[in-house]
Amino acid sequence: KEQLPCAFVGAFRSQTSIPTAILTGLKGYPQFSGVSQSSQLDDKTVFPLFGRTIPSTDANAVALLDYWYNKLNLRHVAILHTDNSFGISYA
């Protein structure tokens, strides 16, 4: 008898996890990623069954800003980022 999956593991990039998490969620399957960090995946109304083992980029960005402000005493910075879900999280 053919066995159906009970969950999906992956993907590596957030840009792949976003559409696949929508599809797996619509079919009722949880999807987990150990690498996808986009904060877009935090929206439980769109990605109710998506989970990850690392924090989203929002947590990283807040820690980076705190370091710049409190340790390096920086007050004005320019952010260069890629135009994808990962880079936009930092902007």
Side-chain angles (χ1 to χ4, degrees), residues 8 11 25 49 76:
F8 290 83
L49 299 176
H76 303 281

Side-chain angles (χ1 to χ4, degrees), residues 8-62:
F8 290 83
V9 177
F12 185 80
R13 296 185 56 172
S14 295
Q15 284 186 291
T16 304
S17 289
I18 289 168
T20 58
I22 290 171
L23 291 173
T24 57
L26 287 173
K27 294 291 187 180
Y29 294 111
Q31 179 178 325
F32 302 96
S33 175
V35 184
S36 296
Q37 292 182 303
S38 172
S39 59
Q40 186 176 348
L41 291 161
D42 292 338
D43 186 347
K44 290 301 178 192
T45 60
V46 179
F47 308 102
L49 299 176
F50 180 79
R52 64 175 129 230
T53 59
I54 58 172
S56 71
T57 48
D58 281 356
N60 295 337
V62 170

